[in-house]
Amino acid sequence: MYVPTRYFPVVLISLIGFYYLLSISKEEREYLHTLRERLSCPESHVIIDLDSHNAAPIKNVAPPRKANAAFVILARNQDLSGVLDSIQQNEDRFNKKFGYPYVFLNDEPFDPDFIKYTSEVISTTSEYGVIHHDHWHQPEWIDEARATAARQKLEAQDVAYAKSVPYRNMCRFNSGFFFRHELLKKYDYYWRIEPDIKFYCDLDFDPFLFMQDNKKVYGFTIALHEYVETIETLWNTTREFIKKYPEHIPKDNALRFLSEDGGETYNGCHFWSNFEIADLNFWRSAAYTDYFDHLDKAGGFYYERWGDAPVHSIGAALLARRDQIHFFK
């Protein structure tokens, strides 16, 4: 039979390997078999002592310690593709190792496809909730003529989302209502996830436990300046709150992050809330809910375009101690 010359090395190596198997003793073959089994990874729920191959598996191993926490994703049905990308990123980089649940919130019911496809890529559990009407929509007491004029003013200044009422609804909801949702009442911490985010490295520690163990209430990664056109009266309204509720302001707060002149003016700095890990009980506190209620009554979410990022940032910097705020570098 003709054998092409290019196969000669393969044939030669095969013959040598076959000769080697025939030449080793029975005891050596048994040793190699045992060694191969000892070096094979067991299933994840079984722990084997590699120094004693015949040792019985250890059972009833305590599970890893976890915080009482969840991921929170505010999304619409049409955001499915971006949400799936974000979940896959989070699962691959973090959650397959740490196993935290997800809570999805929407101002309308999630459709079956959204629930089906998101639950398929999640390694843990997920819940899907509808936002209460009054927590999402513009309040009836808002002067619509004044709000319309404010939107037109911002549009003339070419400000992002100048005309959008839904965007303002979202900012108000994230500022003062998401933490009151029924699905979040059982949790102490949350990690906010947006559609179309990217994680560029593996996360090998648990930031929820870091927050819990170090008694942090707010964690962020980026600080930016807000569009001053959207918050013209936010700081004056905040100063009114400080005067009305001095008991809510700790002496060792982070006012210097917000102001270079002792609180006379606001420098516009805010934590970028598209990523935040925080203590839900801080937002539920009397200090923060009093602050949000004071802002809400002023109407600035609709008469201007107050965002949840500056509201959360001012709330955390004024109402928490500065050692309770953490920069995740």
Side-chain angles (χ1 to χ4, degrees):
M1 180 179 65
Y2 173 72
V3 180
T5 56
R6 67 176 179 271
Y7 292 133
F8 283 164
V10 176
V11 174
L12 181 60
I13 292 171
S14 299
L15 290 173
I16 293 172
F18 182 65
Y19 173 79
Y20 174 76
L21 288 174
L22 290 176
S23 64
I24 64 175
S25 66
K26 176 182 178 182
E27 290 77 16
E28 288 172 322
R29 287 196 298 271
E30 289 178 349
Y31 171 77
L32 289 173
H33 177 72
T34 301
L35 182 63
R36 184 175 65 251
E37 289 188 341
R38 289 182 62 186
L39 294 178
S40 298
C41 293
E43 294 182 351
S44 60
H45 62 282
V46 178
I47 299 174
I48 295 178
D49 181 0
L50 293 181
D51 291 330
S52 177
H53 176 65
N54 295 320
I58 300 173
K59 299 181 179 180
N60 300 321
V61 177
R65 191 168 64 95
K66 291 171 61 177
N68 180 25
F71 303 106
V72 177
I73 302 180
L74 178 65
R76 302 162 298 179
N77 287 305
Q78 58 265 39
D79 295 326
L80 176 59
S81 177
V83 169
L84 290 176
D85 287 344
S86 296
I87 295 172
Q88 192 64 65
Q89 288 271 327
N90 186 48
E91 288 292 316
D92 291 343
R93 296 297 195 179
F94 173 76
N95 204 46
K96 284 183 179 178
K97 292 174 286 188
F98 293 94
Y100 283 97
Y102 292 74
V103 174
F104 294 88
L105 300 177
N106 192 351
D107 64 311
E108 60 184 29
F110 285 104
D111 62 37
D113 281 346
F114 189 101
I115 295 173
K116 175 180 184 293
Y117 291 120
T118 53
S119 60
E120 284 178 352
V121 298
I122 289 172
S123 62
T124 53
T125 59
S126 54
E127 294 182 283
Y128 302 82
V130 177
I131 297 167
H132 191 282
H133 179 277
D134 292 345
H135 292 177
W136 183 263
H137 292 280
Q138 178 176 302
E140 294 182 357
W141 48 264
I142 290 291
D143 181 341
E144 180 52 37
R146 180 181 172 188
T148 299
R151 295 194 295 270
Q152 292 171 345
K153 175 184 175 182
L154 290 178
E155 184 181 11
Q157 295 173 316
D158 199 26
V159 172
Y161 305 108
K163 295 174 60 177
S164 176
V165 175
Y167 184 83
R168 289 167 169 80
N169 294 339
M170 180 271 293
C171 291
R172 179 173 177 260
F173 172 75
N174 278 333
S175 295
F177 294 107
F178 85 95
F179 51 87
R180 310 183 204 213
H181 195 280
E182 196 65 33
L183 292 181
L184 287 173
K185 286 184 177 179
K186 57 180 173 286
Y187 294 112
D188 294 324
Y189 296 89
Y190 74 98
W191 176 339
R192 177 169 163 178
I193 292 181
E194 296 283 316
D196 292 307
I197 62 168
K198 303 294 180 186
F199 291 90
Y200 292 99
C201 59
D202 291 339
L203 191 58
D204 295 319
F205 78 101
D206 186 339
F208 287 127
L209 282 179
F210 174 86
M211 298 285 289
Q212 175 182 288
D213 294 346
N214 292 281
K215 296 180 172 55
K216 305 291 185 181
V217 300
Y218 192 86
F220 70 101
T221 59
I222 300 174
L224 304 171
H225 284 90
E226 182 59 297
Y227 295 107
V228 294
E229 300 87 353
T230 67
I231 53 167
E232 289 183 351
T233 64
L234 175 59
W235 189 247
N236 285 338
T237 308
T238 297
R239 293 183 67 189
E240 293 170 0
F241 167 81
I242 294 171
K243 185 176 181 179
K244 183 177 180 180
Y245 295 99
E247 69 274 15
H248 288 332
I249 313 300
K251 292 183 179 179
D252 52 351
N253 63 20
L255 175 64
R256 286 187 298 172
F257 173 76
L258 306 171
S259 175
E260 281 90 39
D261 54 14
E264 289 297 316
T265 60
Y266 175 39
N267 59 19
C269 287
H270 70 275
F271 310 124
W272 199 45
S273 60
N274 287 41
F275 169 92
E276 61 183 11
I277 300 177
D279 184 343
L280 286 161
N281 293 308
F282 175 73
W283 303 133
R284 296 167 183 147
S285 69
Y288 183 78
T289 53
D290 284 345
Y291 178 57
F292 170 76
D293 290 345
H294 183 81
L295 297 183
D296 199 33
K297 290 174 183 176
F301 292 103
Y302 296 96
Y303 298 144
E304 295 177 15
R305 203 216 64 186
W306 294 352
D308 56 281
V311 171
H312 277 189
S313 301
I314 295 172
L318 283 183
L319 305 176
R321 302 189 314 271
R322 60 177 176 268
D323 65 355
Q324 293 179 296
I325 300 171
H326 183 71
F327 174 32
F328 286 102
K329 298 181 182 180

